[in-house]
Amino acid sequence: MKPHRLRMTHNLLLAYGMYKKMEVYRPHPAQDKEMAQFHAPDYVEFLQRLTPENSKEYLHQLQKFNLGPYTDCPVFDGLYEFCQLYTGGSIDGAMKLNHGMVDIAINWAGGLHHAKKSEASGFCYVNDIVLAILELLKYHARVLYIDIDIHHGDGVEEAFYTTDRVMTVSFHKFGDFFPGSGDLKDDGSGKGKKYSINFPLNDGIDDKSYMAVFKPVIQKVMDVYRPGAVVLQCGADSLTGDRLGCFNLTLKGHGECVKFVKSFGLPLLVLGGGGYNIRNVSRCWTYETSVLLDHPISNNIPYNDFFQYYGPDFKLHLTASDMHNLNPKEDLEKTKVSILESLRSIEHAPSVQMQQVPPDMYLLDDAAALEDARDPDIRETQRDVDKRIDKETEFYEDDNDNDKHEPEPPSRPSRHTKSVASTAASTSNVASDNEGKSS
Ligand SMILES: [Zn+2]
């Protein structure tokens, strides 16, 4: 998981001029107490303490928490700070949605769906998605989670497996493929029975086949479950040409999922995820940002800092390969029908007694501890205004431009205005420090 792909994405977004249509925020670094809303405190504390230098002293804990050599979760310099920022970005997005400050929030640095309560897994250390959903649940009776990464969204499913307040829907490759879970028959338990949905797929699925199952399933989920907010994980390893993935989706197919989910007009948190062909990851998330903004962009990649990566054609869109689609129409239809049947048996959206709204996540912590953790170079305003980054001058002049803040709170956009928050910007700054040190 190369943090460099986030910098490339952000750079391409800027080159296309999309920052003019968005509000861009610097995420707050999530604190240990916030992470411990889901994760075991000893696991969080260990992540905080761990460095490449001291890791040899903690062989037992490394094994216990699935970190370090011999795992797919390497220890690298700045690991905890990296977790703090991508997690803070997703929590911030959820809070802005909760307060009606934005209609759509994007954190391309987030979406690390494999992390478990006490265990890192598949390049995922802290599960920002679970934490963001917990935040959304303070204001919404039901939250829908949709996962289009090629891998099963196991960490999120596991966290909400026994509740009907979160429905998880994952489309993924299944069968001799990481993480191995996500069978059709795994559909939740107890009160959560039928509220976990898994659509197992095979190699080579193309746009047309994917749409033929994605749209009817999501339509039915929306009709039956009636969520108050939606979290969409847009892992880009389901694209054609991915180094780990084996699907054959183009940007248009992948982006059509985003467009379809957006069409329901619900508060929407859009997150990144996997993606191991970095030039295609940045293409994908840039295109999907344009879809979310209803702002068509040219197929010609504009000049940017990483322009040479996009050769030889310098085009945004991808062409599907001629790989064989191992998903026969009849099989897809059978799985689809089975899921629709199961959804039919959920007659009504479950209601919950909403009690007093708990405080926002990072207000749980005392202000002093939060202040300690803040970078003294980053000036902050009141939390509502928080880490808004100046749009006019950002990134084009000297390095200090990003740190400007606006003294007045921004006028709150109405629920009907187009307004998208992205936290990719500042995370990519941090990510650059880690470049080349993680896998
Ligand atoms: Zn993945």
Side-chain angles (χ1 to χ4, degrees):
M1 182 87 75
K2 288 192 167 125
H4 184 48
R5 62 201 189 126
L6 300 170
R7 193 164 44 165
M8 287 179 65
T9 302
H10 187 69
N11 212 274
L12 193 53
L13 282 170
L14 292 182
Y16 270 112
M18 280 190 275
Y19 64 95
K20 293 175 191 156
K21 302 246 166 188
M22 292 188 276
E23 292 168 6
V24 183
Y25 294 91
R26 182 183 302 280
H28 86 285
Q31 300 302 296
D32 49 357
K33 281 186 189 164
E34 297 176 72
M35 296 180 190
Q37 297 294 304
F38 169 57
H39 291 286
D42 63 337
Y43 173 57
V44 176
E45 196 263 330
F46 183 63
L47 279 180
Q48 207 166 3
R49 198 156 21 110
L50 188 62
T51 66
E53 291 73 37
N54 70 15
S55 66
K56 287 190 182 68
E57 299 162 32
Y58 298 116
L59 292 178
H60 172 70
Q61 283 99 324
L62 285 175
Q63 201 175 15
K64 178 179 169 193
F65 298 127
N66 191 42
L67 289 157
Y70 320 114
T71 74
D72 49 15
C73 304
V75 179
F76 56 88
D77 227 5
L79 167 62
Y80 188 68
E81 291 73 20
F82 178 63
C83 293
Q84 286 187 292
L85 287 178
Y86 78 70
T87 301
S90 297
I91 294 171
D92 287 346
M95 292 201 306
K96 286 188 188 301
L97 290 166
N98 279 346
H99 293 294
M101 295 170 72
V102 297
D103 302 317
I104 299 171
I106 305 172
N107 178 19
W108 293 127
L112 281 77
H113 58 173
H114 296 306
K116 307 284 166 47
K117 183 178 175 181
S118 300
E119 200 179 296
S121 172
F123 311 124
C124 304
Y125 303 85
V126 171
N127 200 316
D128 60 297
I129 309 171
V130 170
L131 292 166
I133 291 173
L134 290 174
E135 195 62 28
L136 290 168
L137 286 172
K138 292 175 185 170
Y139 285 75
H140 300 281
R142 294 172 302 281
V143 174
L144 170 63
Y145 172 68
I146 303 170
D147 188 317
I148 59 170
D149 193 284
I150 196 171
H151 301 100
H152 177 226
D154 58 340
V156 185
E157 180 186 273
E158 185 178 295
F160 300 111
Y161 206 61
T162 58
T163 179
D164 56 7
R165 289 199 59 200
V166 178
M167 179 176 276
T168 61
V169 186
S170 178
F171 297 81
H172 49 266
K173 173 167 163 65
F174 181 71
D176 196 22
F177 195 70
F178 182 84
S181 50
D183 199 341
L184 174 65
K185 64 179 168 36
D186 298 331
D187 64 351
S189 80
K191 241 186 146 186
K193 187 77 183 160
K194 294 184 191 291
Y195 291 90
S196 292
I197 294 171
N198 285 302
F199 204 120
L201 296 164
N202 225 320
D203 290 8
I205 191 157
D206 56 22
D207 292 351
K208 196 170 164 228
S209 303
Y210 203 90
M211 279 310 115
V213 296
F214 184 83
K215 287 187 174 176
V217 167
I218 296 303
Q219 182 66 58
K220 187 73 185 170
V221 163
M222 293 290 188
D223 293 345
V224 170
Y225 191 60
R226 293 192 278 124
V230 182
V231 178
L232 175 60
Q233 196 267 20
C234 296
D237 46 12
S238 43
L239 289 174
T240 186
D242 190 78
R243 284 172 56 209
L244 295 187
C246 44
F247 282 178
N248 201 14
L249 299 180
T250 71
L251 262 54
K252 287 190 176 146
H254 205 269
E256 186 65 24
C257 298
V258 176
K259 192 184 277 182
F260 190 65
V261 172
K262 175 181 177 278
S263 72
F264 293 91
L266 294 162
L268 176 61
L269 177 61
V270 181
L271 304 172
Y276 306 95
N277 178 333
I278 55 174
R279 36 193 68 67
N280 290 353
V281 172
S282 52
R283 282 179 162 110
C284 179
W285 294 343
T286 297
Y287 174 64
E288 288 173 354
T289 305
S290 83
V291 165
L292 291 164
L293 291 168
D294 288 326
H295 176 71
I297 53 174
S298 163
N299 191 29
N300 296 320
I301 300 258
Y303 187 76
N304 66 87
D305 291 354
F306 306 100
F307 189 65
Q308 72 281 9
Y309 282 74
Y310 302 102
D313 64 344
F314 302 99
K315 299 291 180 200
L316 179 70
H317 283 282
L318 305 174
T319 309
S321 80
D322 55 5
M323 77 189 291
H324 197 50
N325 183 355
L326 298 179
N327 297 273
K329 211 173 164 187
E330 314 75 66
D331 289 7
L332 291 175
E333 189 64 20
K334 223 170 115 185
T335 308
K336 183 190 84 180
V337 167
S338 160
I339 290 172
L340 295 183
E341 288 284 306
S342 174
L343 281 165
R344 212 160 285 138
S345 67
I346 302 171
E347 284 180 10
H348 302 290
S351 60
V352 289
Q353 188 88 45
M354 293 298 276
Q355 286 157 6
Q356 200 180 3
V357 179
D360 287 346
M361 194 169 293
Y362 64 78
L363 301 182
L364 289 171
D365 214 340
D366 59 289
L370 196 62
E371 280 307 321
D372 286 348
R374 283 181 179 148
D375 182 336
D377 294 326
I378 301 168
R379 280 171 292 161
E380 305 230 8
T381 58
Q382 69 191 73
R383 288 203 176 101
D384 253 15
V385 184
D386 59 28
K387 287 119 295 199
R388 190 171 179 181
I389 296 171
D390 191 325
K391 282 186 273 196
E392 304 308 321
T393 55
E394 67 169 301
F395 303 107
Y396 290 115
E397 293 170 25
D398 63 59
D399 286 341
N400 297 323
D401 289 347
N402 295 354
D403 294 335
K404 286 179 183 167
H405 71 255
E406 296 168 15
E408 291 301 318
S411 55
R412 284 192 168 201
S414 86
R415 292 283 299 122
H416 305 291
T417 56
K418 178 51 58 201
S419 160
V420 180
S422 166
T423 50
S426 41
T427 308
S428 59
N429 292 341
V430 168
S432 65
D433 297 336
N434 300 325
E435 189 190 346
K437 289 177 186 157
S438 67
S439 73

